[in-house]
Amino acid sequence: MMSYFNEGRITMEVENAVRERYSQGALERDSDLCCPVTYDPKYLEAIPREVLERDYGCGDPSRHVREGDTVLDLGSGGGKICFIAAQAAGPTGRVIGVDMNEEMLAMARRAAPMVAASIGHANVVFRRGRIQDLRLDIDMLDAWLAEHPVRSAADLSALEETADRLRRESPLVADSSVDLVVSNCVLNLVRESDRRQLISELFRVLKPGGRIAISDIVSDETVPEDLKADPELWSGCVSGAFQEQEMLTELERAGFYGIAIAEWSARPFRVVRGIEFRSVTVTARKGKEGVCLEANEAVIYKGPWKQVEDDDRHVLRRGER
């Protein structure tokens, strides 16, 4: 029992550190929260300097946006990736930014009309929610709480029932509604116990054939427990990092296919106790559920390896139809 309460206390300390650090990061730049990233300059001209200076990321998943896409940005912060995606997707596209930090959301919402005026179309919305629970609209829940404050256990039950009703009736992001999910150095801020739900939520909101492009920090070794309990390292995108293989395994378990490492930083972001933390961008797709059919098509794997295995466990042998 004591272990349970200690774990709960540590989790709260870590979550508070993340919230406070990113709230402060919305007010003044924190250079320790980001890796150097080069973005296409043609997309930056329309974005207010306040947003550019308060951007914290480790990659550019917006490179994977296509014209007409509905894009969901998890942990959208000040909105930089959303505003780039808005231009890449064009007037027929749509962009949804989700974040829990009120200061970051306020900055993004201030900037949205200015970006829309500059690019000639308004296709970005920002919503408040937890990226591991994309059904629950926190602004709607807060509106209910303003009229129904929690003062007793019965009130707490009513709150939980209302949250469940909102998830069902007014989901923050609907099932199968998104073409592309992007995220920039945010998944590592989610506590470990919520990660499987987080990956499942990515899969839920994607349309069949939808894609993900996730830029994040991964570690080459499993992070020890004492480092995971360090709020400073967690909020700095270090000790909450997925182990390299863990992220790929979780995506595969959720049902994604075509999983690929699109970008891999040769130089670590940080090294702590010999553990290397580096930036990667991982892509994957949804849409291979169900029976695999040949569809009267055949391919020949040409090599150079003797054989390869795909995500459906087909073994493709060199030179065989």
Side-chain angles (χ1 to χ4, degrees):
M1 181 65 73
M2 184 61 70
S3 175
Y4 172 82
F5 284 113
N6 284 341
E7 289 174 7
R9 176 183 58 77
I10 290 170
T11 298
M12 289 302 297
E13 288 178 356
V14 166
E15 290 185 347
N16 288 338
V18 171
R19 182 175 61 252
E20 291 171 6
R21 190 163 186 180
Y22 279 83
S23 294
Q24 185 61 31
L27 302 176
E28 57 184 0
R29 182 168 179 79
D30 184 342
S31 59
D32 291 334
L33 286 178
C34 57
C35 306
V37 180
T38 301
Y39 298 91
D40 191 330
K42 71 181 180 184
Y43 293 131
L44 303 183
E45 296 174 1
I47 303 176
R49 180 158 298 280
E50 176 189 34
V51 172
L52 297 178
E53 291 178 348
R54 306 294 190 276
D55 172 61
Y56 305 110
C58 59
D60 182 11
S62 68
R63 296 173 187 170
H64 299 269
V65 178
R66 300 173 182 167
E67 187 173 355
D69 273 346
T70 294
V71 181
L72 171 64
D73 181 13
L74 302 183
S76 51
K80 179 177 177 178
I81 294 295
C82 286
F83 297 136
I84 294 174
Q87 298 171 72
T92 61
R94 182 172 177 238
V95 182
I96 304 165
V98 173
D99 206 289
M100 264 300 290
N101 189 285
E102 294 181 75
E103 288 80 8
M104 286 290 186
L105 278 172
M107 183 197 311
R109 287 167 172 167
R110 284 195 305 272
M114 292 182 275
V115 173
S118 179
I119 67 177
H121 58 269
N123 61 348
V124 183
V125 296
F126 292 98
R127 300 174 182 171
R128 187 168 168 238
R130 301 167 72 219
I131 63 174
Q132 64 268 46
D133 186 4
L134 292 170
R135 294 186 188 273
L136 185 59
D137 187 320
I138 299 297
D139 282 338
M140 293 182 70
L141 187 63
D142 272 355
W144 183 89
L145 276 168
E147 298 181 2
H148 306 86
V150 175
R151 299 191 181 95
S152 67
D155 293 340
L156 181 58
S157 294
L159 170 62
E160 292 170 347
E161 291 171 4
T162 299
D164 287 341
R165 177 179 57 80
L166 289 174
R167 290 186 180 100
R168 291 192 309 271
E169 299 177 1
S170 304
L172 186 75
V173 185
D175 294 2
S176 304
S177 61
V178 174
D179 296 301
L180 174 66
V181 177
V182 299
S183 184
N184 197 359
C185 209
V186 175
L187 270 58
N188 64 75
L189 299 176
V190 174
R191 59 187 178 185
E192 286 185 289
S193 59
D194 289 339
R195 284 186 177 168
R196 189 156 294 180
Q197 179 184 346
L198 167 62
I199 301 298
S200 176
E201 283 289 85
L202 303 188
F203 196 83
R204 176 185 68 82
V205 301
L206 280 174
K207 301 174 183 177
R211 303 107 60 207
I212 64 170
I214 304 297
S215 297
D216 220 284
I217 300 295
V218 298
S219 61
D220 66 338
E221 300 177 26
T222 300
V223 180
E225 293 300 322
D226 63 316
L227 292 186
K228 292 179 182 178
D230 186 322
E232 182 72 15
L233 287 176
W234 196 291
S235 64
C237 302
V238 175
S239 57
F242 280 86
Q243 194 276 336
E244 294 164 359
Q245 191 60 41
E246 179 192 3
M247 175 181 283
L248 306 180
T249 299
E250 289 298 328
L251 291 171
E252 185 178 353
R253 180 182 284 115
F256 285 98
Y257 79 100
I259 302 165
I261 300 172
E263 301 286 343
W264 174 274
S265 175
R267 184 175 181 179
F269 163 59
R270 284 188 67 177
V271 178
V272 180
R273 292 192 199 167
I275 303 173
E276 295 184 351
F277 297 87
R278 60 172 35 81
S279 167
V280 301
T281 298
V282 175
T283 59
R285 292 175 174 272
K286 173 182 175 177
K288 279 288 289 160
E289 304 77 48
V291 178
C292 181
L293 301 176
E294 183 182 292
N296 295 317
E297 296 177 353
V299 298
I300 295 178
Y301 170 60
K302 298 179 179 179
W305 297 284
K306 181 178 180 180
Q307 64 184 39
V308 296
E309 182 179 348
D310 69 12
D311 287 336
D312 281 332
R313 302 188 185 281
H314 300 130
V315 176
L316 309 178
R317 295 179 176 85
R318 182 177 52 213
E320 288 188 13
R321 182 179 293 271

